[in-house]
Amino acid sequence: MKISLGMWLAIGLAGLQFLAVTVVVFSSYLTSERAMLDHARNLLSDAGTNTIEHSRGFLNPASGAAELATRLAENKIVASDNPKLLEKLLFQQLRSAPQFGGVFYGDEEGNFVYVKRSDGAGPFRSKIVTRDGENRSTELIWRNDKFAVMDSRPDREDTYDPRARPWYQRASEDLGIIWTDPYIFFTSQTPGITIASPVIGNDNTLQGVIGVDIEISEISSFLARLKIGENGTALILNRNGDVIAHPSPELIKAENPDGTHRFANIGEIADPIARAAFENLSDMSFVSIDEETSAEFEFGGERYVSTVMPIISEKLPWTIAVYAPENDFIGAIKKNRTQNIWTAAIIALLTGIVGLWLANYIHKPVRAFAVRSALISQGELDPSAPIPRSYKELDRANEALMHEIAERKKTEHEYGQTFDMSSRGMAQIEAGTARYAKVNSKFCDIMGYTEDELTKMTILDLSYPGEPTIFPTLNSEDSDDFAFNLEKRCIRKDGEVIWLKINAIMIRDEAGKPLHAVATVDDITNQKAAETQIHKLNKDLSHIARGNMLGEMAAGLAHELNQPLTAITQNVDAALTTATEQPKIDPELIDILKDLDQQAHRAGDIIKALRAFARKDEASKAEFDFQELLDQSLRLIQSEANEHGVNISVVSNDLPSVTGVRVQTAQVLVNLLRNAIEAMDCSGIDEKLITVTTKAIDGFVEVCVEDTGPGVDPNLNLFTQFETTKSDGMGLGLSISRSIVEANGGALWYHRNKVEHSCFCFTLPTTELAENRIEDVVKT
Ligand code: ADP
């Protein structure tokens, strides 16, 4: 299917602007989103790094405190027996860093001094356990900032033994500073870690263990303050997947079956988004995490980005996990993008409408031009009618079109005239139906039908039954044939069978599909009849030639043998007479002579019979048109003349009809013409020409056959039987011809005046003369 120019324009304009808008919107869509997501990941990473730094900074004083305590212990300050002094020292340590929840020292005897921050009667509370053998006492003292006692009381229920605590046991086993995993402090129920260091005495034995509780709930507060996008969250996971810090600190605590508390694991925390993001991190060792990992995930129909930081350090095998909704970063862009798409769609729509209007406006004159051209082509509009709104190009096309139309009309007119006025029959035949679409008057004359009748008929309606027809082959789309020539019989309206010579060409379109055939038709019935006559003449000629040849030979032989036979007969007669006059004669000799006489007479009779056989048959003399006979004879000999390069010219006047044996006369003509052709069949002759001249003279028609050959051999006895100069000649042709002409009442002679060339002439009596002669014979 072909698309119109208007459609192309519309599609082109609308398509281009749509493409341009799409490319701009889509590219900004992709690039802005990618940039913002990268930005989001960087933000998460920054938050993670911040948290790591904060955590490190937060925990740094702990190790400092532990080291200091160890050094003090080594200076025998810690290991003194004075619990009050130890309490003061621990108090000072506690106040050195706000994150210290408590500082404590337990010794091998089970003595324990513990200073911690308090909400009770004073901001600080000390717990001092002293043992003396099986006796133990526990005193609780509340103090203010200045270490002044605010309140104190004994705790008789207390059973606390430092040596049973894990921090004591690990430090005494490792004999070095230990960091516990985060846990929920027993007394404060807040999350924290404990750093503990063994105190070694002078005798290198373990005196006790000094430790610091560091509350890490502050890290959760820090996380709560941390700004990560609009709704981003950072949390800290321990190596075992426990969540040890979370902006909502209440979420990190879980209750054990025995009522004690522990950290909630990432797989169970009441933060479903964190669960969805980092569930895979539960129950795993973080040691393997050594590089930052970013990911994207979907939760509750919303998209999120997440980052997991590498672990902080060997001592602190924690990792920071951060997540935030994508929309925090690209929400504005998405909103902006939706706005852009709508803006682009509206622009596309508006420009599309304008484009269509423009395309229509541009195309309108082209459309009008096409309609106008179609109307002009169908003859419904005068080509000189003005063009409406147009373009330069259309004006030029219009001029060309007008010129073409004028030329086409002229050609059609000329073709129509040629068709109608042709002296030959012409017909236009429809390709599919073989119906006569158009015929000229000559064709009507040939077939005897009117034009109306013929245009309702097909070629088969006129065809003689059984005649070949090539039209179906020519009509086939597969055929490459464009033309055919054939001679065939057809039936006229009056029933007469006529011969037609048909030349037809098939007009095809560019694809080779037949459109119609144009046939030129000639009535060759007369020509066919003439050919039949010539054929018959030829047949008769060869028949008569054989007869004449035989007769002429017989006559010749009879003539030659007659004389010796007559001599034999006379001599036998004389011998018989002489013998019978002898007195004594052998009767057997008489018998022999008589037999000889008889045989000689018999031979004479045979010769007489032979001569009678050789006499010409005079029965078929009749009146005929010599001119017609001459034409036919020339056509018979024409191919022979052509073969030898001989031209034949005829100089002829109106001739009266002649009387004679037609076929014999033809043979004379053919003999003379053939002799002339053969005479010129030698080298050195520039122009091989035979001139046949006919004229009527004194009751005769005289015919002369002259050639441009070398002339007759002077040594030759013309018209004598068996006289020939040809190796394959019989020398009978001329004598037969002369005897034929004479038998027909004419004469044949050689024109001796013409020395260079040969000229043989003969005459035939006109019918008038022949009839007069018969009358004369009848009268006498
Ligand atoms: P054939 O043709 O068999 O020889 P013809 O009787 O027709 O017998 O001719 C006898 C001879 O007459 C030829 O051999 C030829 O020499 C001579 N002759 C006949 N016609 C011509 C001619 N037109 N020009 C020259 N010689 C001719």
Side-chain angles (χ1 to χ4, degrees), residues 186-264:
F186 178 76
T187 37
S188 66
Q189 287 298 307
T190 54
I193 59 168
T194 297
I195 300 168
S197 173
V199 177
I200 311 295
N202 288 338
D203 52 354
N204 264 348
T205 55
L206 180 74
Q207 302 287 302
V209 174
I210 189 163
V212 183
D213 284 338
I214 301 173
E215 286 185 2
I216 57 170
S217 52
E218 205 284 326
I219 300 181
S220 289
S221 309
F222 169 76
L223 294 181
R225 291 194 304 276
L226 202 61
K227 186 95 178 123
I228 310 168
E230 288 288 318
N231 300 296
T233 301
L235 43 114
I236 302 179
L237 300 175
N238 194 16
R239 73 162 84 224
N240 58 1
D242 284 352
V243 182
I244 58 171
H246 191 282
S248 307
E250 67 280 4
L251 299 184
I252 63 176
K253 259 198 267 180
E255 205 175 293
N256 286 319
D258 61 3
T260 56
H261 286 94
R262 61 176 174 82
F263 286 112

Side-chain angles (χ1 to χ4, degrees), residues 675 679 707 711-712 716 718 723-726 729-731 733-734 758 760:
N675 273 348
D707 63 62
V712 174
L716 199 72
L718 276 178
E723 280 278 331
T724 178
T725 54
K726 300 168 192 168
M730 292 281 285
L734 282 176
S758 300
F760 287 87

Side-chain angles (χ1 to χ4, degrees), residues 671-672 675-679 705 707 709-713 716 718-720 723-726 728-736 750 757-760:
N671 274 351
L672 295 181
N675 273 348
I677 290 168
E678 287 173 355
V705 179
D707 63 62
V712 174
D713 185 343
L716 199 72
L718 276 178
F719 308 109
T720 306
E723 280 278 331
T724 178
T725 54
K726 300 168 192 168
D728 55 345
M730 292 281 285
L732 291 174
L734 282 176
S735 63
I736 289 171
Y750 178 65
H757 303 320
S758 300
C759 180
F760 287 87

Side-chain angles (χ1 to χ4, degrees), residues 248-512:
S248 307
E250 67 280 4
L251 299 184
I252 63 176
K253 259 198 267 180
E255 205 175 293
N256 286 319
D258 61 3
T260 56
H261 286 94
R262 61 176 174 82
F263 286 112
N265 193 273
I266 185 65
E268 61 181 346
I269 192 166
D271 176 352
I273 307 172
R275 253 192 347 253
F278 311 115
E279 207 160 25
N280 58 330
L281 302 179
S282 65
D283 292 332
M284 64 166 285
S285 167
F286 284 100
V287 183
S288 60
I289 300 176
D290 52 5
E291 62 182 33
E292 196 177 313
T293 317
S294 295
E296 285 161 33
F297 66 99
E298 200 173 299
F299 181 82
E302 203 174 349
R303 293 206 49 84
Y304 288 81
V305 284
S306 69
T307 294
V308 177
M309 301 300 289
I311 59 168
I312 297 175
S313 70
E314 269 295 305
K315 275 184 200 150
L316 288 176
W318 306 348
T319 190
I320 318 297
V322 194
Y323 70 84
E326 243 182 38
N327 272 348
D328 280 11
F329 310 97
I330 58 170
I333 282 198
K334 272 187 179 168
K335 205 172 147 200
N336 182 258
R337 199 164 59 194
T338 314
Q339 269 178 4
N340 282 352
I341 289 172
W342 274 109
T343 313
I346 290 164
I347 291 173
L349 188 74
L350 290 176
T351 51
I353 291 168
V354 172
L356 285 176
W357 177 83
L358 199 64
N360 185 48
Y361 182 78
I362 294 171
H363 184 234
K364 209 170 172 184
V366 179
R367 246 180 359 242
F369 182 80
V371 171
R372 182 175 181 274
S373 303
L375 289 176
I376 291 174
S377 158
Q378 286 159 14
E380 288 174 26
L381 188 71
D382 187 356
S384 57
I387 318 181
R389 187 168 70 82
S390 176
Y391 300 115
K392 253 188 202 170
E393 292 83 349
L394 289 183
D395 284 349
R396 278 202 289 272
N398 184 53
E399 275 168 31
L401 187 71
M402 292 307 106
H403 180 72
E404 282 300 315
I405 288 173
E407 285 295 310
R408 195 192 73 196
K409 282 193 171 163
K410 199 173 144 207
T411 311
E412 276 175 4
H413 180 67
E414 284 170 4
Y415 172 73
Q417 272 194 331
T418 312
F419 191 90
D420 292 338
M421 294 163 70
S422 173
S423 60
R424 305 171 74 189
M426 287 189 82
Q428 190 171 309
I429 303 155
E430 279 180 0
T433 57
R435 192 178 63 83
Y436 290 104
K438 196 175 166 191
V439 291
N440 70 353
S441 54
K442 178 66 182 175
F443 188 72
C444 295
D445 289 349
I446 292 173
M447 298 315 303
Y449 287 99
T450 64
E451 188 177 340
D452 277 354
E453 286 169 334
L454 280 170
T455 49
K456 292 185 184 84
M457 298 169 90
T458 71
I459 54 171
L460 283 178
D461 296 331
L462 300 181
S463 207
Y464 185 77
E467 281 292 294
T469 170
I470 308 173
F471 195 74
T473 324
L474 200 68
N475 203 11
S476 154
E477 275 190 45
D478 301 332
S479 169
D480 291 335
D481 290 343
F482 275 86
F484 71 86
N485 300 314
L486 92 158
E487 291 176 1
K488 64 181 279 186
R489 281 174 295 176
C490 287
I491 307 170
R492 277 173 55 86
K493 188 179 182 182
D494 57 16
E496 189 191 334
V497 177
I498 54 172
W499 274 97
L500 297 185
K501 184 177 171 65
I502 303 169
N503 301 313
I505 50 168
M506 178 56 84
I507 311 295
R508 293 174 188 274
D509 65 11
E510 284 170 0

